[in-house]
Amino acid sequence: MAKKLRTRKHRVVLNRSVGGDMGITVVLAIFGAFMFLPMLYTVMNALKPMDELWIFPPRFYVVRPTLDNFKELFALMSDSWVPFSRYIFNTVFISVTGTAGNLLLSSMAAYALAKIPFPGSQPIFKLVRFALMFTPTVTAIANFITMSALRWVDTYWALIIPACATSLGLYLMKQFMDSNVSAEVLESARLDGATEFKTFWVIAMPMVKPAWLTLIIYCFQGLWNAGASIYIYSEELKSLNYAISQITAGGVARAGAAAAATVIMMAVPILVFVITQSNIIETMGSSGMKD
Amino acid sequence: MSKKSDAQVVARKDITKAQWTWMQMKRYKVAYLMIAPFMLIFFIFTVIPVIASLALSFTSFNMLQMPKFLFLDNYITLFLDDDLWVTALKNTLIFAAVVGPVSYILSFLVAWFINELSPRIRAVVTLIFYAPSISGNAYLIWQTLFSSDAQGWVNGKLLDWGFIDTPVLWFQDERYVMALCIIVALWMSLGTSFLSFIAGLQGINVSLFEAAAVDGLKNRWQELWYVTLPSMKPQLMFGAIMAITGAFSFGAVVTALAGNPSVNYAAYTIQHHLDEYQGVRWEVGYSSAISFVMFLMMVGSNMAVTKLLAKVGQ
């Protein structure tokens, strides 16, 4: 019974009982509801008019959806002392430069570690792997001293430069290059006289597109969601996330605007993920031809 | 190509190991150039800070005067004379012991369950499970859901249905605050390792499953244990590190939901203790000792998990 071979649209599945499939679907649905309903409630709240937000008993769904909360949020934004566009610029600037720097430095280092057998490559990679456990909690103290010594406190540098070299970025990129960039292709490029830099940039980089998309997602999310930083005290250098949390900390009266702000802040990383996820699946799909 | 390597073999016999290494280093000098920018930043902001933090943990240092060498005094004070540290340690260990394994197993199970869905549905389900971990401060919705007045959704429903007469002070009650924070932590814990598991499962060669079925594996659970998990070991190791670091560094979310200090220090973690000594009191030596103990606990748990993972599929 269980050994029967069933075929589904997209692949052959072995050893799958119908009962097991149903059980798994039920479990997935329960967990899925646990994950999804709070997110849905956030969106619902952002669309509720004031009287529905404070109704008793509380209602999950919105009956008369309105964009008033978003209007109120934008009104509050335009009142702020530092122009709001400045906060947006800060976050976008830091996210984009930090992500680009990380992508470039990590893939260059990953290429060397994965594809050039130079003395010391293995201990260096072991250190990088071990450093996945060097969390900001552990490094924060010394970093503050370093930032002060470099006079980077209260500048963009304090946020951008450390984000350019993360152990996670290098680790993921190196692992991916190990298995997805074939040595023969690189060797033939080298025999044709391409320099190591050119081989890396023209041959290897296009082959690891899924990995750089993954890196972009992680790096961008981290920088986008960064709130108040201990390195920044000038109001005009602070992040959008910080500014919005300040606006919406105004208590009960601003509950609607706070919900609207949360929706805007979460929409961006989710959107970035949706776009890059479909890209990753596409690139993965076309890479299946080789084997 | 083969000629070149023959020449190397001969050359290698004639010279010492150091000379050989030096030759190789010169030959691949471009590689050092390529890793240099990354390594410079990586060492300054990631590696040296950990070493510095270990060194500073043996001193008394306030960032103004020179550090004063104390040897183990900070650690002795920490373990013998700091009641709040004991609370923080206990809470962090509870957090880590629950959130770490549960989020790890949950990430894997969900990734495994959705692996057999069609690609389009899989993309949607992936998004649903992954979204909470990337949505910034969306976790504040739990504060709205479990708000301490009748307008909170949970209180409102419980009042309406007649289970309670007065609103429960969820995040302000020491009986509930820890459990609620753990639930929120789990809600937002399907992150990096989850994606890694999904990608890893997609990469397993289908012929392995076919061969296993021919060899007489009876159901999906046997297949999971004998084929899937062993093939997934690289991702499982990586996911373990992510789960461990995430579980131990937990603190910011507690502060946002329950305040710091939380009611009667019921959800006070090592992260909070660290913030106190580092950000408020500027006792850098002492806070270095705290962060180093935390680091050792992460490394220790990781070694334990590595040992456990070695047993998978046997």
Side-chain angles (χ1 to χ4, degrees):
Chain A
M1 170 69 187
K3 284 213 73 173
K4 226 170 27 181
L5 190 139
R6 288 188 293 134
T7 311
R8 288 187 201 158
K9 245 183 201 165
H10 52 284
R11 62 176 284 196
V12 177
V13 275
L14 304 151
N15 286 329
R16 293 294 183 262
S17 66
V18 179
D21 276 353
M22 275 161 65
I24 282 173
T25 310
V26 171
V27 172
L28 259 186
I30 293 170
F31 283 135
F34 168 67
M35 303 303 280
F36 183 63
L37 291 180
M39 301 291 275
L40 185 64
Y41 194 56
T42 311
V43 177
M44 290 288 171
N45 270 357
L47 296 174
K48 281 177 186 168
M50 259 310 163
D51 57 324
E52 277 192 56
L53 269 177
W54 303 111
I55 199 171
F56 180 85
R59 199 166 38 206
F60 190 88
Y61 289 102
V62 52
V63 179
R64 290 174 293 110
T66 162
L67 291 176
D68 285 355
N69 293 326
F70 290 89
K71 282 182 202 143
E72 194 200 338
L73 176 68
F74 292 128
L76 285 168
M77 282 178 178
S78 56
D79 279 352
S80 90
W81 171 54
V82 172
F84 226 78
S85 45
R86 181 64 197 260
Y87 293 120
I88 298 175
F89 171 81
N90 290 343
T91 285
V92 171
F93 179 72
I94 291 166
S95 307
V96 170
T97 46
T99 305
N102 190 329
L103 182 61
L104 192 69
L105 297 193
S106 300
S107 17
M108 202 161 71
Y111 173 82
L113 287 172
K115 295 298 164 193
I116 307 177
F118 64 94
S121 60
Q122 272 168 19
I124 289 175
F125 186 63
K126 277 205 181 109
L127 176 68
V128 170
R129 212 171 58 180
F130 189 55
L132 287 172
M133 278 182 285
F134 297 2
T135 56
T137 314
V138 185
T139 56
I141 303 159
N143 274 347
F144 192 82
I145 302 172
T146 314
M147 294 293 179
S148 313
L150 290 168
R151 299 190 184 280
W152 281 1
V153 173
D154 211 28
T155 65
Y156 289 130
W157 299 117
L159 303 176
I160 295 173
I161 299 297
C164 285
T166 59
S167 39
L168 181 64
L170 177 53
Y171 174 82
L172 290 176
M173 195 50 112
K174 195 260 180 188
Q175 295 297 77
F176 197 81
M177 284 201 180
D178 270 346
S179 48
N180 289 283
V181 178
S182 79
E184 292 86 38
V185 178
L186 298 181
E187 198 51 49
S188 65
R190 284 173 195 147
L191 288 178
D192 285 345
T195 62
E196 209 60 70
F197 276 104
K198 197 166 181 204
T199 316
F200 155 68
W201 190 249
V202 180
I203 312 288
M205 274 303 258
M207 288 164 96
V208 294
K209 206 172 153 203
W212 39 275
L213 285 169
T214 314
L215 221 66
I216 289 171
I217 302 177
Y218 287 145
C219 204
F220 178 80
Q221 277 157 9
L223 292 167
W224 176 265
N225 288 331
S229 161
I230 50 166
Y231 305 124
I232 303 293
Y233 46 82
S234 298
E235 199 57 35
E236 61 272 17
L237 292 180
K238 283 187 172 160
S239 67
L240 181 62
N241 194 326
Y242 163 83
I244 282 187
S245 68
Q246 286 308 100
I247 281 191
T248 54
V252 176
R254 289 180 177 176
T262 308
V263 169
I264 292 178
M265 288 307 286
M266 73 187 205
V268 174
I270 290 181
L271 209 67
V272 170
F273 178 69
V274 169
I275 297 166
T276 45
Q277 190 199 17
S278 60
N279 246 317
I280 288 173
I281 290 165
E282 189 191 300
T283 4
M284 294 287 195
S286 60
S287 72
M289 297 285 287
K290 277 173 279 175
D291 47 54
Chain B
M1 178 72 191
S2 65
K3 248 184 202 166
K4 207 165 146 194
S5 54
D6 283 350
Q8 280 167 19
V9 172
V10 174
R12 188 162 193 182
K13 273 185 206 154
D14 300 338
I15 56 177
T16 64
K17 201 174 172 231
Q19 279 173 312
W20 168 256
T21 311
W22 179 240
M23 250 181 67
Q24 293 291 308
M25 283 173 80
K26 274 199 293 193
R27 181 176 165 203
Y28 295 121
K29 57 179 181 289
V30 64
Y32 297 97
L33 217 60
M34 290 179 99
I35 65 165
F38 182 95
M39 286 302 155
L40 183 70
I41 301 175
F42 175 64
F43 268 82
I44 293 177
F45 294 107
T46 305
V47 178
I48 296 172
V50 173
I51 300 164
S53 146
L54 175 63
L56 284 174
S57 73
F58 299 117
T59 68
S60 161
F61 183 39
N62 59 8
M63 305 266 290
L64 299 171
Q65 291 142 311
M66 281 299 286
K68 205 170 85 211
F69 187 68
L70 293 175
F71 197 45
L72 289 175
D73 281 12
N74 284 331
Y75 291 94
I76 292 167
T77 314
L78 195 57
F79 281 99
L80 296 180
D81 207 20
D82 187 345
D83 291 342
L84 219 45
W85 159 256
V86 178
T87 310
L89 183 65
K90 190 196 82 193
N91 286 336
T92 300
L93 288 177
I94 294 175
F95 264 124
V98 177
V99 176
V102 174
S103 83
Y104 184 62
I105 293 168
L106 201 64
S107 296
F108 182 81
L109 282 182
V110 173
W112 185 56
F113 288 165
I114 67 177
N115 188 43
E116 289 169 17
L117 300 173
S118 75
R120 191 161 300 172
I121 299 174
R122 193 171 61 226
V124 175
V125 180
T126 305
L127 179 66
I128 289 176
F129 281 89
Y130 184 59
S133 73
I134 54 170
S135 298
N137 54 9
Y139 59 80
L140 290 177
I141 193 65
W142 290 91
Q143 210 175 28
T144 316
L145 283 168
F146 285 88
S147 163
S148 54
D149 51 31
Q151 259 72 36
W153 193 79
V154 176
N155 270 337
K157 286 293 169 206
L158 289 176
L159 283 169
D160 196 31
W161 293 332
F163 284 111
I164 51 172
D165 299 323
T166 49
V168 178
L169 303 171
W170 297 107
F171 281 106
Q172 283 76 44
D173 189 320
E174 56 179 301
R175 282 171 300 170
Y176 304 124
V177 61
M178 191 75 172
L180 283 172
C181 287
I182 287 177
I183 290 175
V184 177
L186 287 175
W187 180 68
M188 53 193 299
S189 70
L190 267 65
T192 313
S193 39
F194 176 57
L195 289 192
S196 162
F197 292 158
I198 293 175
L201 286 163
Q202 288 291 304
I204 300 176
N205 196 335
V206 182
S207 60
L208 282 178
F209 295 120
E210 287 162 0
V214 173
D215 285 349
L217 289 194
K218 283 195 189 63
N219 54 47
R220 72 181 84 208
W221 303 101
Q222 286 190 347
E223 183 190 291
L224 174 69
W225 183 252
Y226 291 109
V227 185
T228 312
L229 284 174
S231 318
M232 285 283 290
K233 259 185 201 168
Q235 284 84 8
L236 289 172
M237 301 277 251
F238 173 67
I241 291 186
M242 293 289 115
I244 289 166
T245 51
F248 274 103
S249 331
F250 202 62
V253 174
V254 178
T255 310
L257 291 173
N260 181 27
S262 41
V263 53
N264 207 6
Y265 292 96
Y268 188 79
T269 67
I270 297 183
Q271 184 73 55
H272 294 125
H273 208 51
L274 201 57
D275 291 345
E276 169 76 16
Y277 280 93
Q278 188 181 315
V280 182
R281 304 196 195 188
W282 290 98
E283 291 182 26
V284 174
Y286 196 67
S287 57
S288 295
I290 297 172
S291 72
F292 204 77
V293 170
M294 183 152 125
F295 176 62
L296 288 182
M297 290 196 300
M298 289 196 284
V299 175
S301 336
N302 189 46
M303 278 158 66
V305 173
T306 310
K307 281 236 170 72
L308 275 177
L309 284 177
K311 294 204 174 81
V312 160
Q314 283 165 4

